[in-house]
Amino acid sequence: MDDLLTIAGTSYASRLLVGTGKYKDFAQTREAIVASGAQIVTVAIRRTNIGQDPNTPSLLDALPPSEFTYLPNTAGCYSADDAVRTLRLARELLDDHRLVKLEVLGDPHTLFPNMPETLKAAATLVKEGFQVMVYCADDPIQAKMLEDIGCVAVMPLASLIGSGMGVLNPWNVQLVRDAVKVPVLLDAGVGTASDAAIAMELGCDGVLMNTAIALAQDPVRMAGAMKKGVEAGREAFLAGRMPKKFYTASPSSPTSGLIGS
Amino acid sequence: MSAQAASTSLFLTINGEARAFAAPASVASLLDEMGLTGKRLAVERNGEIVPKGLHATTALATGDRLEIVVAVGGG
């Protein structure tokens, strides 16, 4: 059986979602994203540069929406109102596209989510027919609130956005996983392939990352490594790891038949 | 500025910048003048989305605040 990730009724073979920021150029963006195998890519919504040559290549040329599922985000928004406005523009921009990534930030130093504003924006967006995937704190109570509002996926942070610090609180990630039925995607903080594997071994349904790939020395190679990390972690989760034995060692080789015995 | 010039110019705020255009203008004619016709973008006028299908028939008035956005790389 295929092991697919289903979000809002659509199934995806890849459990790795990637951002499209911080790359050297659009050619590298595309090459890395293809190497990652990701099918869902996040994009930001920004004012057009007035006065810029309108024929400058755009992200949509490098990554046609026919080839990838776009996930417009609200990065940089610090209030529910700004986030909702941004996603209404995204929906218009992408021809009534409904699947979105909500993030309402609390402060520019930590980029930690402002959960009261996030909950408020989520309620408005769900009411307006958006399919909301939501960046949130690794808090099982608020994750459940977001599910109850109607969000289609919750996305707790592993550690601060862009920090590469990895999964700092695996216990909370598991609590979130146990608290909700919708997919849990670990968002933000992954630094290298083992972090992605750990996230998947904890039972996450997917991982979303950008900086760990874009700022690697060789982004295309790291994209491939992340693909394997996510796949290995998922397989290990499904295989079911052996129980940890904290006080007793257990030899892997026979204990009898040793020479001289 | 003469009274006539004032009556034939539109003073708009586009993406936070003050800009003047010849009146009358619609969202579609404004985009055309800016070289943006056919580009993948979205327009908000005074806080409300202007759907693509209404660009040609949405007239602009002095004082309008417009946001014109595109998709860019982001995480």
Side-chain angles (χ1 to χ4, degrees):
Chain A
M1 280 300 276
D2 285 343
D3 174 40
L4 301 174
L5 167 64
T6 302
I7 301 171
T10 303
S11 294
Y12 305 88
S14 173
R15 292 175 178 273
L16 174 57
L17 288 70
V18 297
T20 55
K22 297 184 179 173
Y23 286 97
K24 187 180 67 175
D25 52 35
F26 287 141
Q28 189 191 57
T29 311
R30 182 178 172 84
E31 206 185 338
I33 288 170
V34 168
S36 78
Q39 295 166 287
I40 301 177
V41 300
T42 65
V43 298
I45 303 299
R46 290 292 180 272
R47 285 171 164 174
T48 185
N49 217 340
I50 297 173
Q52 185 190 30
D53 176 4
N55 295 315
T56 310
S58 83
L59 180 71
L60 286 92
D61 299 326
L63 301 170
S66 55
E67 234 178 294
F68 298 92
T69 297
Y70 270 36
L71 188 64
N73 70 24
T74 61
C77 290
Y78 287 86
S79 70
D81 286 349
D82 281 351
V84 169
R85 244 179 107 189
T86 298
L87 291 177
R88 286 178 184 148
L89 280 162
R91 182 164 165 173
E92 163 66 14
L93 176 68
L94 298 169
D95 302 322
D96 202 32
H97 179 84
R98 306 283 174 112
L99 188 70
V100 296
K101 172 182 168 180
L102 171 65
E103 54 183 302
V104 186
L105 304 175
D107 79 57
H109 177 58
T110 63
L111 302 179
F112 220 78
N114 177 330
M115 290 306 295
E117 289 292 301
T118 300
L119 287 156
K120 194 172 139 194
T124 303
L125 291 166
V126 168
K127 214 172 290 172
E128 293 185 12
F130 287 91
Q131 296 165 338
V132 181
M133 301 174 67
V134 54
Y135 169 65
C136 57
D138 59 351
D139 170 346
I141 308 304
Q142 296 191 95
K144 181 71 169 65
M145 289 177 182
L146 290 165
E147 179 180 61
D148 289 344
I149 283 169
C151 292
V152 299
V154 296
M155 307 200 290
L157 72 168
S159 49
L160 301 186
I161 292 175
S163 71
M165 290 289 286
V167 185
L168 295 187
N169 198 335
W171 309 107
N172 277 30
V173 172
Q174 279 182 297
L175 290 174
V176 170
R177 171 62 290 173
D178 293 344
V180 299
K181 293 187 187 70
V182 293
V184 175
L185 288 86
L186 207 73
D187 185 3
V190 165
T192 188
S194 55
D195 297 335
I198 287 168
M200 298 307 294
E201 288 171 10
L202 291 170
C204 290
D205 299 277
V207 180
L208 198 166
M209 65 179 76
N210 186 347
T211 310
I213 297 175
L215 294 193
Q217 297 298 308
D218 182 342
V220 177
R221 192 163 192 167
M222 184 58 89
M226 290 299 187
K227 178 177 195 270
K228 292 173 185 163
V230 168
E231 287 170 357
R234 177 67 182 173
E235 284 298 304
F237 171 73
L238 293 175
R241 61 154 298 146
M242 62 163 282
K244 288 181 180 172
K245 294 179 198 161
F246 290 102
Y247 302 108
T248 317
S250 167
S252 298
S253 303
T255 51
S256 62
L258 285 138
I259 58 164
S261 57
Chain B
M1 183 174 302
S2 72
Q4 195 186 347
S7 67
T8 56
S9 292
L10 284 173
F11 298 96
L12 310 171
T13 304
I14 304 177
N15 291 354
E17 290 179 27
R19 309 261 298 192
F21 288 89
S26 65
V27 170
S29 69
L30 177 77
L31 293 176
D32 190 44
E33 190 147 338
M34 296 175 73
L36 296 172
T37 299
K39 298 289 162 196
R40 183 80 86 130
L41 48 76
V43 179
E44 185 194 77
R45 175 177 173 245
N46 301 329
E48 301 289 331
I49 300 289
V50 184
K52 289 178 192 72
L54 298 180
H55 283 187
T57 54
T58 301
L60 296 174
T62 280
D64 279 354
R65 289 171 296 108
L66 297 164
E67 294 286 346
I68 306 173
V69 302
V70 295
V72 302

